Amino acid sequence: MRAGITMKLTPRGCRNVGGNVASAMEELRKEFMDTFVPYGYKPFWPTGLQRLDAVTDKLSPNLQGRLIVANSFYGEPCALRADVTLGVADYCASHFEPHERPHRLCYTERVYRRPNSPEHNMERLQLGAELIGWEGEGADVELIGLLLAYLNKLNCPKISIALGDVSLIQLALGKLPKGYSSALLNCLETGRMDEYARTVQDLPHSDMREFFEELPWLKGNFEVLYRAASLLGETGEALKPLKSIYSELTKMGYGDFIVIDLSLVRELDYYSGPIFDAYFEDSGVVLGGGGRYDTLLERHGMMGQAVGFALDLEKLALNMNKRTTQAQKILLWAHGNTPSSVMACADNLISLGYCVEILWRERECEPAELARIKGCGLLLDLSKKSITDLHSGDEAFLDEFLGR
C-alpha cells in the first residue's frame, strides 16, 4: 500500500482492479463483444439487487447459502446479484412475448457470493452470453462455437471445452435406489472419487452398475460416446444430443478443443441437458462454463429452451500473454503550449498508431522519470519540438521523427 493513504474504502472480500489487469480485462471485453454482437447478441446490464423471495427458489441449495442479503431503499428483502442468468430470464419473461424469440444477450458484470473456504473474495467479474428460444441443438452448437472462436483469438494458453450432459446423469441415477444416487452425485460434485468408488462397489445389483464403475473414466473423443451407449442400453438414446453437438463442432474445426466428459456435473436442479466447462489445457484451471437451463425458464413461467455460459473475466485476464505488438507509448510534455495545440499534436500521433499520455504541469517535474513510471518509451517535449527514445537515449526533432 502506498504511503499517505489514511482511509480504506474497500471492505474485506472486495477489491478494485486497475493497471495492466484492468487493461487486459477491457481488451477481453471488447473482443468478446466483437465476437458475439455480429451474431445478434445484444448487450445486457442486469440490476445489482435481486428480490430475495424471487431468487431463492430458482437457485441451487449451494448457491442459496452463498447469497449476500441486503434491503432495498424501499425495505424489500434483497440479495446482491449472485447470478446474471436469473436477470436474463426475468428480463425476457417480463419484456417479450413467446413469438418474439429467440433472444440473444451478452454481458460483462460482477456477481456477489459468500466465498467458499479457502477463498475470501465475494465478488467475481464475469463475461457471458445467453440464447433463449426453441432452437434445438443448433443453439448449443452456436453458443459453444462462438465461445471457441472467441477463445482462439486470445493471446493466452490453449483453452479447451469439457462437454457432458446432466440429463444423462439424471436418467442413470434415476435407476438406482435414492440413497445411492444422492451419494454418488455428491461425490461427483465434490470430486471425492475414493468415496465414489466405494459407493459403487456397495451398489445392489443394477443394470447401471458397470456404467457407474466406468463413469469417471468416460472421457475423451467420440469413441467415449460409443462405449457409453453400450453400457447404457436403452438409456443410451439420451446420448443423441451430445453426439450431434460434438459432431457439428468437429465439422466446424473445433474437434481438437473438445473433450467428452460424461462425469461432468453441475447443479441438476438448474441445468437440464448438455453442459460444458472451459479450462486451461496445460493447468486444468477452470475458467467457467454453462449449458442448457430449460428448468430455470419453467420457474419463470416460460416454456422453451435456454443455453448460456459465464467465464471468470479476471482469471482469464491474469493468464493473458503480453502482446508483442503493442502500440508505442509517448509521454507528451505540454511545457507551456496551448491546450488546443497540445490536443492537436496528440490527435495526430494517435492517428499514426501511437498511444499518448499528456503531462500538463511544468514545475517540480522530472518528465523522463515519470515517462518510465508510466511505461512510456518515448518522451516528447513539445516546447522544443523534440522526442527522446528513453531506452537508447537518442533524440530527434519531431518533424524528423514523423518523417516529414
Side-chain angles (χ1 to χ4, degrees), residues 171-356:
L171 284 171
L173 289 172
K175 295 180 178 295
L176 301 178
K178 187 173 182 179
Y180 288 97
S181 62
S182 58
L184 289 175
L185 176 60
N186 186 261
C187 290
L188 288 172
E189 288 178 332
T190 57
R192 302 197 310 273
M193 301 317 294
D194 289 343
E195 185 178 337
Y196 174 92
R198 289 193 296 270
T199 305
V200 170
Q201 290 302 313
D202 291 339
L203 280 175
H205 176 73
S206 169
D207 294 339
M208 291 291 103
R209 177 165 181 162
E210 190 176 3
F211 169 75
F212 281 107
E213 285 177 340
E214 295 193 26
L215 180 59
W217 293 273
L218 290 176
K219 302 176 183 180
N221 56 23
F222 210 94
E223 294 177 1
V224 168
L225 297 175
Y226 288 113
R227 176 56 183 162
S230 69
L231 293 169
L232 289 167
E234 293 181 1
T235 309
E237 286 291 306
L239 288 166
K240 280 187 176 181
L242 212 54
K243 288 179 179 178
S244 174
I245 293 167
Y246 182 80
S247 175
E248 293 303 311
L249 288 169
T250 300
K251 291 175 187 176
M252 293 166 65
Y254 296 124
D256 290 340
F257 297 90
I258 300 172
V259 176
I260 299 293
D261 183 356
L262 297 185
S263 67
L264 183 64
V265 293
R266 197 176 283 114
E267 299 96 333
L268 297 195
D269 53 354
Y270 186 110
Y271 290 96
S272 52
I275 57 172
F276 55 91
D277 273 351
Y279 65 96
F280 287 111
E281 195 171 272
D282 57 351
S283 65
V285 172
V286 176
L287 281 167
R292 290 265 193 101
Y293 55 90
D294 305 356
T295 304
L296 180 62
L297 282 192
E298 293 177 19
R299 293 175 186 167
H300 281 272
M302 301 170 64
M303 298 305 295
Q305 174 194 309
V307 58
F309 70 85
L311 302 183
D312 189 316
L313 179 56
E314 186 173 0
K315 192 181 292 185
L316 187 55
L318 289 169
N319 284 274
M320 290 284 286
N321 298 319
K322 276 193 173 181
R323 292 194 181 275
T324 56
T325 57
Q326 287 182 326
Q328 276 191 293
K329 295 178 67 176
I330 297 175
L331 182 67
L332 196 168
W333 187 17
H335 207 169
N337 286 270
T338 63
S340 58
S341 64
V342 174
M343 294 302 294
C345 179
D347 290 344
N348 184 35
L349 291 167
I350 290 169
S351 71
L352 295 173
Y354 294 97
C355 179
V356 179

Side-chain angles (χ1 to χ4, degrees), residues 56-246:
T56 49
D57 65 337
K58 297 178 179 69
L59 295 174
S60 68
N62 171 54
L63 199 47
Q64 287 178 25
R66 297 178 64 190
L67 292 175
I68 299 173
V69 178
N71 281 340
S72 74
F73 175 78
Y74 300 99
E76 296 171 296
C78 296
L80 296 181
R81 180 182 54 244
D83 187 303
V84 177
T85 302
L86 292 180
V88 169
D90 181 65
Y91 171 74
C92 291
S94 60
H95 285 72
F96 302 102
E97 297 294 332
H99 70 271
E100 297 180 86
R101 301 180 199 171
H103 305 300
R104 292 175 169 86
L105 302 172
C106 55
Y107 62 86
T108 52
E109 263 297 353
R110 275 183 167 90
V111 294
Y112 302 88
R113 301 173 182 177
R114 293 179 184 271
N116 286 328
S117 180
E119 296 179 353
H120 63 274
N121 289 329
M122 64 181 187
E123 57 180 7
R124 293 268 185 248
L125 287 146
Q126 292 185 339
L127 54 78
E130 316 285 340
L131 200 168
I132 295 177
W134 293 276
E135 310 305 300
E137 279 112 45
D140 304 283
V141 173
E142 174 187 319
L143 204 74
I144 298 173
L146 286 174
L147 173 58
L148 285 166
Y150 166 67
L151 295 173
N152 284 341
K153 294 177 186 178
L154 305 183
N155 188 25
C156 67
K158 183 180 177 182
I159 299 172
S160 293
I161 296 289
L163 185 61
D165 193 326
V166 296
S167 62
L168 178 67
I169 300 289
Q170 287 171 324
L171 284 171
L173 289 172
K175 295 180 178 295
L176 301 178
K178 187 173 182 179
Y180 288 97
S181 62
S182 58
L184 289 175
L185 176 60
N186 186 261
C187 290
L188 288 172
E189 288 178 332
T190 57
R192 302 197 310 273
M193 301 317 294
D194 289 343
E195 185 178 337
Y196 174 92
R198 289 193 296 270
T199 305
V200 170
Q201 290 302 313
D202 291 339
L203 280 175
H205 176 73
S206 169
D207 294 339
M208 291 291 103
R209 177 165 181 162
E210 190 176 3
F211 169 75
F212 281 107
E213 285 177 340
E214 295 193 26
L215 180 59
W217 293 273
L218 290 176
K219 302 176 183 180
N221 56 23
F222 210 94
E223 294 177 1
V224 168
L225 297 175
Y226 288 113
R227 176 56 183 162
S230 69
L231 293 169
L232 289 167
E234 293 181 1
T235 309
E237 286 291 306
L239 288 166
K240 280 187 176 181
L242 212 54
K243 288 179 179 178
S244 174
I245 293 167
Y246 182 80

